[in-house]
């Protein structure tokens, strides 16, 4: 009997020890996760759209000859910059040169005959005063002088015409610019309809974009237009000076133009990215990497106070355009609310958190990029 009592007492001690051990093994709840947040506040955002634009020179011509003949000399090469009046190429001018020499000889002959006729008239006038010449002879001398004066003027005009015609054999640049491709070679026969080359002025360019008609109705004078590089960086900024009065009947798009001084080496006929800024307004923005996507629906983790605890609430939101650092919030969030920007993958709806610091949306976006980002894998 004594042995049985001792055994029962030992079993009771063992059971008690096991019960105490179970209480010690039970895990305590994890501490709230420390996160960084941003507090939403309105900031200026732009209502802008991007289009494909075409650059055009404000001065660009295709050079044609004004005479027919064989190309004797080419003075320029493609891509060369020329001044106004600089020679581009020469067309065979031997025929025009001979015609000019003939005109000069005719003028000289007329001047000699005119001088002789004037001397004869002067002599007859003296003889007429002395009664040694008749009035008829004097009238004939005077008429001869007038006829030779007219011939001399005609010869001089013919010479001037030949000089002008000879100048056409040297094709010159109509204005300062850059030479395009030279389309003819030495010895080619050209006529007045043969394209020789082109000259384009690239110091001031126009950019032309086609926008939807409903967007064109909202345009106003001096609407900003930005020319972008391939990475989206602004190269040049200008303002709209022309909006087409009617839409293209085939595409229903409206042409819009802006001009700018070309300081970055763009070329006419180049295609560029262009952005029209229709309006500027105040709106809430959320850092791009603070957005969690699920099945295409964007969510934000909003910090809330619930039953005395700080937790995050997974809330669907509506996003607008994406800027350089953040999305425009069109719905689902309110001014003054705090949104988590770190540890997004580890947070679940209703998870307790501890707010570490508040940042501006731009600073939060920069920090998330520097830290490797946490939202990319939750989309």
């Amino acid at each position: 009997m004594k042995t049985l009592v001792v055994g029962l007492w030992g079993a009771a001690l063992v059971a008690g020890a096991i019960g105490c051990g179970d209480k010690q093994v039970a895990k305590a709840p994890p501490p709230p996760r420390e996160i960084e947040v941003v507090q939403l506040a309105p900031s200026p955002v732009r209502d802008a759209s991007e289009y494909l634009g075409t650059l055009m020179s404000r001065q660009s011509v295709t050079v044609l000859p004004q005479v027919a003949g064989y190309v004797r000399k080419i003075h320029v090469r493609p891509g060369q910059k020329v001044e106004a009046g600089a020679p581009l190429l020469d067309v065979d001018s031997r025929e025009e040169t001979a015609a000019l020499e003939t005109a000069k000889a005719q003028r000289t002959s007329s001047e000699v005959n005119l001088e002789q006729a004037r001397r004869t008239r002067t002599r007859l006038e003296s003889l007429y005063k002395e009664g040694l010449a008749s009035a008829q002879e004097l009238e004939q001398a005077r008429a001869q002088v007038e006829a030779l004066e007219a011939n001399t003027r005609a010869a001089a005009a013919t010479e001037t015409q030949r000089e002008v015609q000879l100048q056409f054999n040297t094709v010159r640049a109509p204005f300062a610019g850059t030479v395009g491709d030279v389309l003819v070679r030495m010895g080619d026969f050209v006529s007045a309809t043969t394209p020789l080359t082109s000259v384009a002025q690239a110091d001031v360019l126009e950019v032309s974009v086609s926008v939807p008609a409903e967007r064109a109705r909202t345009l106003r004078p001096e609407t900003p237009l930005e020319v972008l590089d391939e990475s989206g960086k602004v190269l040049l900024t200008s303002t709209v000076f022309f909006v087409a009065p009617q839409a293209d009947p085939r595409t229903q798009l409206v042409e819009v133009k802006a001009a700018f001084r070309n300081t970055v080496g763009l070329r006419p006929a180049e295609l560029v990215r262009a952005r029209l800024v229709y309006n500027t307004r105040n709106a809430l923005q959320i850092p791009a990497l603070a957005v969690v996507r699920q099945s295409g629906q964007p969510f934000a983790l909003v910090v809330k106070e619930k039953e005395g605890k700080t937790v995050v609430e997974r809330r669907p939101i509506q996003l607008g355009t994406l800027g350089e650092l953040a999305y425009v919030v069109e719905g689902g969030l309110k001014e003054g609310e705090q949104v988590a920007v770190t540890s997004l993958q580890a947070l679940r709806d209703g998870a307790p958190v501890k707010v570490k610091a508040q940042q501006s949306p731009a600073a939060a976006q920069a920090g998330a990029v520097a830290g490797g980002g946490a939202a990319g894998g939750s989309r």
Side-chain angles (χ1 to χ4, degrees):
M1 178 62 69
K2 183 176 182 182
T3 302
L4 179 60
V5 172
V6 172
L8 293 174
W9 180 73
L13 290 178
V14 172
I18 293 175
C20 293
D22 288 342
K23 293 181 181 179
Q24 291 177 355
V25 171
K27 295 182 179 180
R33 182 177 294 273
E34 192 173 45
I35 62 170
E36 295 181 359
V37 300
V38 293
Q39 185 166 357
L40 301 181
S43 59
V45 296
R46 302 190 304 173
D47 179 14
S49 296
E50 187 174 315
Y51 305 95
L52 184 64
T54 303
L55 298 181
M56 301 179 295
S57 173
R58 306 201 84 176
Q59 285 186 311
S60 178
V61 297
T62 298
V63 180
L64 304 175
Q66 294 180 271
V67 295
Y70 293 95
V71 177
R72 303 288 293 180
K73 186 176 182 180
I74 299 176
H75 296 278
V76 296
R77 64 183 184 278
Q80 179 178 338
K81 293 186 180 296
V82 294
E83 298 297 328
L88 302 178
L89 55 83
D90 293 337
V91 178
D92 187 6
S93 61
R94 288 175 292 181
E95 183 178 349
E96 286 74 15
T97 301
L100 176 60
E101 293 299 327
T102 300
K104 288 182 178 180
Q106 290 175 350
R107 179 182 59 81
T108 302
S109 177
S110 296
E111 289 176 347
V112 170
N113 292 334
L114 175 61
E115 185 62 26
Q116 181 64 31
R118 285 173 177 171
R119 290 175 183 174
T120 301
R121 182 188 62 181
T122 301
R123 184 169 59 254
L124 286 175
E125 286 175 348
S126 299
L127 293 175
Y128 178 77
K129 290 178 181 179
E130 296 176 1
L132 301 177
S134 64
Q136 184 179 2
E137 292 175 330
L138 180 59
E139 289 298 329
Q140 290 178 348
R142 289 175 176 173
Q144 182 70 17
V145 170
E146 291 177 357
L148 290 175
E149 285 178 345
N151 289 339
T152 301
R153 290 194 298 270
T158 301
E159 180 183 357
T160 301
Q161 181 183 8
R162 294 299 182 183
E163 288 177 345
V164 173
Q165 189 71 20
L166 182 61
Q167 293 176 359
F168 293 155
N169 287 74
T170 299
V171 181
R172 300 181 180 275
F175 48 81
T178 303
V179 178
D181 189 17
V182 179
L183 304 176
V184 295
R185 299 294 180 264
M186 293 280 293
D188 288 353
F189 182 84
V190 297
S191 64
T193 59
T194 305
L196 303 177
T197 184
S198 62
V199 177
Q201 183 267 348
D203 293 337
V204 177
L205 296 178
E206 292 181 359
V207 57
S208 172
V209 299
S210 296
V211 304
E214 61 273 12
R215 294 295 264 167
R217 289 194 290 269
T218 65
L219 288 175
R220 62 187 187 281
E222 306 300 319
T223 296
L225 186 147
E226 300 170 343
V227 177
L228 314 176
D229 63 9
E230 60 277 3
S231 63
K233 180 181 178 182
V234 177
L235 290 177
L236 297 164
T237 301
S238 184
T239 54
V240 170
F241 75 89
F242 170 78
V243 180
Q246 61 184 16
D248 187 310
R250 297 172 301 173
T251 63
Q252 290 300 299
L253 299 177
V254 178
E255 184 181 24
V256 177
K257 291 183 180 180
F260 60 90
R261 185 163 296 279
N262 184 16
T263 58
V264 294
L266 298 175
R267 294 184 178 276
E270 185 177 349
L271 297 179
V272 295
R273 295 170 61 184
R275 183 165 59 207
L276 277 169
V277 182
Y278 293 98
N279 190 22
T280 301
R281 59 190 175 94
N282 285 332
L284 299 179
Q285 297 186 73
I286 182 173
L289 295 182
V291 177
V292 179
R293 294 183 183 271
Q294 184 175 0
S295 301
Q297 170 66 48
F299 292 86
L301 297 177
V302 182
V303 177
K304 304 285 289 183
E305 293 293 332
K306 185 177 182 180
E307 299 178 356
K309 296 181 181 181
T310 303
V311 298
V312 291
E313 176 184 275
R314 188 183 181 91
R315 183 184 302 174
I317 57 176
Q318 293 80 47
L319 299 178
T321 57
L322 174 62
E324 293 184 2
L325 299 174
Y327 282 102
V328 176
V329 178
E330 299 294 350
L333 295 174
K334 298 179 181 179
E335 179 181 352
E337 290 187 316
Q338 296 179 346
V339 176
V341 295
T342 59
S343 303
L344 301 186
Q345 289 181 334
L347 296 176
R348 297 293 180 267
D349 187 26
V353 293
K354 178 181 179 182
V355 175
K356 181 178 180 182
Q358 294 183 5
Q359 303 181 25
S360 66
Q365 176 75 2
V369 171
S378 297
R379 297 184 180 184

